[in-house]
Amino acid sequence: MTDPTQALLNSPTLPRHVERLRRVLDDEAARRARFVDEIQPHEKGEFINGEIVMASPALHRHNLVSSRLANLLGAYILDRGLGVLVFEKAMVSLTRNDYEPDLAFFDRDAAAELTGDTLRYPAPDLAVEILSPSSEQRDRGVKFEDYAAHGVTEYWIVDPDVETVEQYVLGDGEDEYTLRMKSATGELASVAVEGFAVPVRALFDDAANVAALRALLA
């Protein structure tokens, strides 16, 4: 496959393309600044590759999975002082884009840099996206690529319809994810959250969730 960057570098029209890209990025940066300034606390929106994407209300099954995961991760992280978990309305600002992942974990060092006035978060250590019909393409596409490029150690994609979780991890010095597991059963053991391991069913079943929570805090 031809490298488009190398093709541009070898082209006499390179300066023209660079100038065009500079204008596009300058305009995009201005629109991004307006987006961040104007979005309201009650709104869930993201700025992705120059476009504003507003989220529609989530289905109940989506909200249940989010709640179960927040219960497990939040209690475990707090109990062991591992860092901080944020969810739903936390805006993660990367080089070009602003996302609001369903859940995001920051380790002790990253959490120490956060203040009560933090509005835009850096790249987390763990990002979790719970699929919906309107978000799946972005969760598996631009976010998948962007999280990896910015060193997000671990990325979970949770499908509430078929009740599976996909766990992707970055190796040392890598900038592309490797699939570690995809399953509706078995154990989900985190790489980024030290020692965290729960049955996959704890994400989708209330009884399994309560049992896992008790085990984590025992």
Side-chain angles (χ1 to χ4, degrees), residues 85-107:
L85 179 75
V86 296
F87 48 93
E88 289 298 336
K89 291 303 298 168
M91 181 177 288
V92 170
S93 292
L94 305 182
T95 304
R96 185 181 181 189
N97 298 321
D98 298 294
Y99 304 116
E100 291 192 348
D102 289 301
L103 296 97
F105 163 71
F106 300 86
D107 68 14

Side-chain angles (χ1 to χ4, degrees), residues 5-171:
T5 302
Q6 190 59 50
L8 277 175
L9 290 174
N10 293 334
S11 172
T13 63
L14 174 63
R16 189 171 65 207
H17 290 294
V18 170
E19 180 58 32
R20 181 184 177 189
L21 287 172
R22 185 179 293 114
R23 290 196 301 270
V24 169
L25 289 175
D26 286 347
D27 176 69
E28 183 178 299
R31 286 185 284 113
R32 183 182 185 185
R34 288 195 299 272
F35 162 76
V36 172
D37 184 58
E38 294 174 1
I39 191 167
Q40 299 300 304
H42 65 276
E43 296 177 318
K44 182 176 174 66
E46 299 177 314
F47 190 87
I48 303 177
N49 292 348
E51 301 294 331
I52 295 173
V53 179
M54 302 304 293
S56 57
L59 295 175
H60 186 52
R61 68 174 69 93
H62 179 289
N63 292 330
L64 287 176
V65 171
S66 179
S67 178
R68 293 186 190 111
L69 258 177
N71 287 342
L72 295 170
L73 277 168
Y76 181 84
I77 291 164
L78 182 63
D79 184 57
R80 286 160 176 75
L82 297 178
V84 65
L85 179 75
V86 296
F87 48 93
E88 289 298 336
K89 291 303 298 168
M91 181 177 288
V92 170
S93 292
L94 305 182
T95 304
R96 185 181 181 189
N97 298 321
D98 298 294
Y99 304 116
E100 291 192 348
D102 289 301
L103 296 97
F105 163 71
F106 300 86
D107 68 14
R108 293 186 190 94
D109 293 337
E113 300 297 318
L114 304 176
T115 72
D117 293 324
T118 295
L119 175 64
R120 301 172 77 184
Y121 290 81
D125 295 280
L126 164 68
V128 181
E129 297 288 0
I130 302 168
L131 297 180
S132 65
S134 62
S135 72
E136 182 168 5
Q137 184 176 3
R138 294 187 297 276
D139 294 341
R140 295 189 180 281
V142 62
K143 290 186 181 183
F144 189 93
E145 180 181 358
D146 217 358
Y147 288 155
H150 285 82
V152 177
T153 302
E154 188 172 1
Y155 181 34
W156 299 351
I157 297 179
V158 183
D159 190 330
D161 290 332
V162 296
E163 298 189 347
T164 60
V165 59
E166 299 167 37
Q167 179 189 28
Y168 296 91
V169 297
L170 287 181

